[in-house]
Structures are given as C-alpha cells and as structure tokens.
Amino acid sequence: MAEPSAGPRPEHTMPLLALITQRSLDADYEHVAARRRASGDVEAPRHPLPRRTAAVVLLAFGLLVTVAAVQTSRNASVDDASRASLIDQVNLRRQAVADLQRELAREESRGLALRSQLTTLSTSEQAAQSRLQRLQVRTGFGGVRGPGIEATVGNAPDAAGAELIRDSDLTLLTDALWAAGAEAISVNGERLTVLSAFRNVGVGILVNSQPLNPPYVFSVVGDPDTLPANLLSSSIGGQWYALKDSLGLRFEVKDGGTMTLPAAREQPLRHAEVVTPPDGQTRTQTGEGGS
C-alpha cells in the first residue's frame, strides 16, 4: 500500500514566527517574479537577497523578544521590591496604630481615674460648702431667710437708774432664745455672732460696737410654732420671765412671718493671729495682733 505523499503543511499548524516569515518570503517572490515577467526576463528567481532579508527580520524579531524579556524581568523585580516595601509600610502602620491604641487605653484609664477623683472632690466640696453655710448661719456670718418670731423688750414706764435694761438683761434673753431653738438672731438689725456681746456704755448699750436704742427688737429665725412655748418652759427662759416681772419690763412676742437677716460684718482679729508652721498644721497664737 502506497504511503500518502507529504503535502504542504497547513498554515494553522505552523509556528507563528515561521508563518510570518513564510508569508513575507512568498510575497517577495511573487513581487520579483511579476517584475521579471513584465520585463520579459524569465530567468529563474534569485533567492539570496530575500533570504538575507528574512535573516535580518528574524534577527530584529529575536532582539525585540530579548529586550521584552529583559524588561519584563526588570519590571518583575521592581514590582517585587515595591510589593515588599508596601508590606513593610503596612506592618509599620499597623504597629503604630497598635501603639496609639495602647496609649489611648492608658489615657482613657487615667481619664476615668481623674473623673473618679473629681467626683470625690466635688462631693467633698459640696459637703464642706453645706457645712460652711450651716456654720455661717450659726455663727452669724452668713445671711439667712426663713420664718420666725419677733420679740420686743422695753423699759418699764418712768424707769430710771437700776430699773433700766442693762447689757446682762439682753444677754439673758439672748441665751434663752438660743436655748428655745433659735437658728439666727438679730437685735435692732444687728446680727448676733459668736463674737457678739452686749456692753453698757453709760446709759446706752453697744453690740458689735454699734449703739442700740430701746425698744430692743429681737428678730429670731426658727420654728414660730415652738419657739414661744420653749422660751416659756425652759429653765433659762424662766429666769428671763422672772427678771422681766421683777423690773416691770415690757415684753411682747409675735409671729414675725418670713424674715431676712443679713450677715454680720466681719471683725478683724485684734489679739490673735493665724500661724502656719512648716508642718502645715494651722494654729492660733494669742498676743497683740494688728487690727
């Protein structure tokens, strides 16, 4: 059985480079043959020049492929270096973010501790402020407003000499009012403090270095429902009523409604000064101080 003759290789099975070269050579051959037929020269075509052209084309194509391969290799190296650099930068940024988050957590903890301290200090300040206000009311150096009674005492008609009201009489009445539940007292507008004292100067009476003229009006802040009864029933109140009756003093107690008592004027220290030693413990030292 005869073997089939080897025919021309189908174009779709030829390598791309060989196909391009073959087509180029066929076109050159056909062009040269056409020119020779037109000129009447039917001599067999010469092939050296087209072959040299094909060799040059192949060389140029190989050079282009080589350059492309080298460039691709270089670009791959650059891409790998850029990718590694980006990864390093991302890792550094992550570490920086982690450090900042830890610092933020520490600052938040400090903020919570400071807020807790602030709350404690605010509570202590409010307690101290409330205590200060109570002390100011009790000592007379803070203004007060509230319900109370008004007690008025005056000399007996045609009283003279020893029958006139003296500083000790007003002191007794004041002590009786404190014992009856008074929270704040003023006499003729002069607020009584822990430093206040009635003092006779001739026939007049001074309190807080201010002169008082009869009748003496005691404005007393306290419970108006219990103050009069407590004044009458207490032992010191009984002493006051006995003195009043013996001297024939005029004495009247009535509901004063809502009253406002101003704060007393602060008195400068004359015989005491505040000394702060190195240990920080404040002490009061007696002696002649500045006015």
Side-chain angles (χ1 to χ4, degrees):
M1 180 177 180
E3 294 181 0
S5 60
R9 189 175 184 179
E11 291 184 356
H12 65 274
T13 61
M14 298 177 65
L16 178 61
L17 182 58
L19 179 61
I20 293 173
T21 304
Q22 182 66 40
R23 288 184 175 180
S24 177
L25 292 176
D26 291 343
D28 289 340
Y29 293 153
E30 184 178 352
H31 178 67
V32 171
R35 289 178 58 186
R36 288 182 175 178
R37 284 194 299 271
S39 61
D41 187 2
V42 294
E43 184 181 354
R46 298 176 181 178
H47 299 290
L49 182 59
R51 288 181 178 178
R52 286 196 300 269
T53 301
V56 171
V57 170
L58 288 174
L59 180 61
F61 182 76
L63 181 60
L64 289 175
V65 172
T66 303
V67 171
V70 172
Q71 187 65 36
T72 301
S73 176
R74 289 180 178 177
N75 290 340
S77 300
V78 172
D79 291 342
D80 291 340
S82 299
R83 186 179 298 104
S85 176
L86 289 174
I87 292 173
D88 292 339
Q89 292 182 18
V90 168
N91 291 333
L92 290 176
R93 296 295 188 274
R94 287 177 177 173
Q95 183 62 39
V97 169
D99 294 340
L100 289 175
Q101 288 176 340
R102 286 192 293 270
E103 182 67 21
L104 178 61
R106 287 193 295 267
E107 293 300 327
E108 287 179 346
S109 298
R110 290 182 56 192
L112 290 174
L114 290 175
R115 280 195 291 271
S116 178
Q117 294 179 9
L118 178 61
T119 301
T120 302
L121 290 175
S122 298
T123 303
S124 300
E125 180 185 7
Q126 292 175 359
Q129 188 66 28
S130 299
R131 183 169 179 269
L132 175 61
Q133 291 176 353
R134 291 193 300 270
L135 289 174
Q136 285 177 337
V137 170
R138 296 296 297 175
T139 58
F141 293 103
V144 296
R145 177 181 174 84
I149 64 172
E150 187 176 274
T152 303
V153 58
N155 292 310
D158 301 327
E163 296 177 349
L164 295 175
I165 297 176
R166 300 186 59 81
D167 54 7
S168 58
D169 304 332
L170 297 183
T171 300
L172 180 61
L173 176 57
T174 301
D175 292 342
L177 289 171
W178 286 124
E183 298 179 7
I185 303 174
S186 68
V187 182
N188 290 6
E190 284 296 323
R191 181 72 177 277
L192 299 185
T193 73
V194 291
L195 301 177
S196 297
F198 296 99
R199 185 163 58 92
N200 280 115
V201 178
V203 296
I205 298 177
L206 299 180
V207 66
N208 298 339
S209 301
Q210 299 298 316
L212 300 179
N213 296 315
Y216 306 103
V217 180
F218 285 73
S219 298
V220 184
V221 173
D223 188 348
D225 296 329
T226 60
L227 275 171
N230 291 341
L231 179 62
L232 184 62
S233 62
S234 65
S235 60
I236 192 171
Q239 296 177 29
W240 160 252
Y241 277 103
L243 176 66
K244 174 188 76 72
D245 293 339
S246 65
L247 295 178
L249 302 178
R250 295 183 292 109
F251 184 63
E252 179 185 3
V253 177
K254 65 178 182 179
D255 191 331
T258 300
M259 298 179 293
T260 301
L261 276 57
R265 295 183 298 274
E266 294 187 6
Q267 299 294 323
L269 295 175
R270 295 181 179 276
H271 300 283
E273 61 181 355
V274 177
V275 177
T276 304
D279 60 3
Q281 299 295 326
T282 302
R283 299 182 179 89
T284 302
Q285 175 177 306
T286 60
E288 292 296 330
S291 59

